[in-house]
Amino acid sequence: MTAPFPIPSGRLEERFEEKSPLYQEAEAVAEANRCLYCVDAPCVKACPTSIDIPGFIRKIGTGNVRGSARTILTANLLGQSCGQVCPVEVLCAGSCVYTTWGREPIRIGKLQRYAVEAALAKDGPPLLPRKPPTGRRVACVGAGPASLAVAGYLALEGHRVEIFDRKPLPGGLNTLGVAPYKMKADQSLHEIQWILSLGDVALRAGVAVVTEPKGEGEIAARALLAEYDAVFLGLGLGDDSRLGIPGEQGAGVAGAVDFIERLKVEPGLALSGVQRAAVIGGGNTALDVAHELALLGVDVALVYRRSRAEMAGYAHELEGARVDGAHLVENRIPLEILREGGRVTGLKVARAEGGKALPHLEARAEEILPVDLVVVAIGQSRATQVALAFDGVALDAKGRVVIDPATGRTGHSKVWSGGDCVNGGDLVVTAVADGKRAARSIHAAIHATPERPAERQAEG
Ligand SMILES: Cc1cc2nc3c(=O)[nH]c(=O)nc-3n(C[C@H](O)[C@H](O)[C@H](O)COP(=O)(O)OP(=O)(O)OC[C@H]3O[C@@H](n4cnc5c(N)ncnc54)[C@H](O)[C@@H]3O)c2cc1C
Ligand code: SF4
């Protein structure tokens, strides 16, 4: 299958090898046969999309990959990418009975990816049944995992879905943020092509939904209410947060999410002249970007204001970054980015305790890390203001969209939401689970509402 979206070659991400390559059939069957097919399986309880894990693994063992993929995709339409990007160590595999016995858990993520890729590569009738067209229309704002799950499930119910994304490439952070040694942008785009093929789904890439449109490429949020039976807000998060320290403006300093996006999809991006980098932060994004830079041959210091034990990032990701060459500089607070002739030459840091700088008077309290690049990974802002264009939709004190947790519905009866813009930033699989929940609720709600004949006739 060729990539459906324009993605040029010559991207830095192409230089990364997969850390967990696709299984061959014999390997998959051997691994599947290790599964104990537990009753009341703990791995299923740990999966946010409740995939029947022993069920799909058993089908791999008996050579029924189509059946296996169907089991996975019924529960999680992004089963292929979740097989690659899910932190299984803290989800399904972390709960596998083998783990509790101190033994190697079943490689659930690898088996999942194998089953879906093998099934989709084979010709045959559609894997998932699609109902006849209903004439109902739903708009999804954002083309990240949350919206893609909504779109796919509603398309299977026969509804027409239009997805708007302000970026030229769909997939949100699954395409533009996930570490390339887990999954590359074109792999995410192939999966999206399959989701779009599930039914009547249209992607309007490069169109931002805004409160007050000012020109081409923008559409008014409130206009969606008139045109569609329901609206789903899968807005994700906003721009990288900044440190607010001297020297931060200018070349040689980048926000982590912005930097990773360029590394993944910008052709010809070169890191020439970058030998040493400081990555500031202690979450998974900081660990990812540190790991990626280390794999590109850069000497990386991961600068965190607290101790290793207090890092929000996963221990296994820190270990992975460390093994590939990144080193942790804990208990340091960035004070200033030093420049010579505009070029970054160093990062001045203060020693810290409990996240706070030690008193300046201590001679040893400050030091300079010589670096050519500083990547700031201290979080992302919110992109949820547009949600307020819908009467009744509320944001909480942290700027997250407020929903009914049972349905994903907001305070507006025609508007649902889910994913990072609701949870403040989590995982692909939780965004998919949110999308699935919202799709169920939207389907029930629009079925309960009579169709508006005049508008349907106008559509032809
Ligand atoms: C660097 C990084 C690495 C990650 N790695 C992993 C990983 O390995 N495994 C994992 O499970 N999770 C990972 N995550 C988290 C995961 O990617 C997110 O939780 C997930 O993508 C959230 O999905 P979403 O649909 O809510 O939002 P997003 O993926 O952010 O998608 C939101 C989309 O909405 C669009 N949008 C926003 N506002 C508008 C608007 N007004 N109009 C039109 N379009 C709009 C955006 O352009 C974007 O495409 C990572 C996150 C980051 C930052
Ligand atoms: S807990 Fe482990 S062994 Fe049991 S069903 Fe799940 S994957 Fe198989």
Side-chain angles (χ1 to χ4, degrees), residues 34-38 41-43 53-54 57 95-98 106 108:
R34 256 190 355 109
C35 179
L36 303 172
Y37 312 121
C38 306
C43 55
I53 293 167
I57 294 180
S95 305
C96 175
V97 290
Y98 279 108
I106 302 294
I108 301 168

Side-chain angles (χ1 to χ4, degrees), residues 85-87 141-147 164-167 171-174 177-179 182 207-210 234-237 257 260 285 288 380 383 386 418-421 425-429 431:
V85 311
C86 261
V141 185
S147 285
F164 299 83
D165 202 296
R166 59 185 174 184
K167 302 231 170 186
L173 291 169
N174 210 25
V178 162
K182 293 184 190 166
V207 180
V209 176
V210 297
L235 304 167
L237 299 176
V257 174
I260 294 171
T285 299
D288 273 9
Q380 290 171 259
V386 67
D420 280 3
C421 66
D426 196 14
L427 296 172
V428 172
V429 69

Side-chain angles (χ1 to χ4, degrees), residues 110-131:
K110 279 188 78 129
L111 287 172
Q112 182 170 311
R113 175 185 175 194
Y114 165 78
V116 179
E117 283 205 33
L120 293 184
K122 287 187 177 158
D123 288 334
L127 271 174
L128 301 175
R130 174 185 163 191
K131 294 188 182 150

Side-chain angles (χ1 to χ4, degrees), residues 263-286:
L263 181 152
K264 284 184 69 93
V265 296
E266 184 178 306
L269 176 69
L271 291 183
S272 44
V274 177
Q275 286 173 349
R276 290 167 300 192
V279 172
I280 298 167
N284 284 312
T285 299

Side-chain angles (χ1 to χ4, degrees), residues 25-77:
E25 184 180 346
E27 294 171 303
V29 172
E31 182 65 2
N33 286 334
R34 256 190 355 109
C35 179
L36 303 172
Y37 312 121
C38 306
V39 176
D40 222 7
C43 55
V44 178
K45 291 194 186 118
C47 172
T49 54
S50 306
I51 295 175
D52 174 6
I53 293 167
F56 92 71
I57 294 180
R58 192 188 285 274
K59 287 174 187 157
I60 294 175
T62 58
N64 178 9
V65 284
R66 268 182 71 83
S68 178
R70 199 177 294 119
T71 301
I72 295 162
L73 296 168
T74 303
N76 180 342
L77 282 179

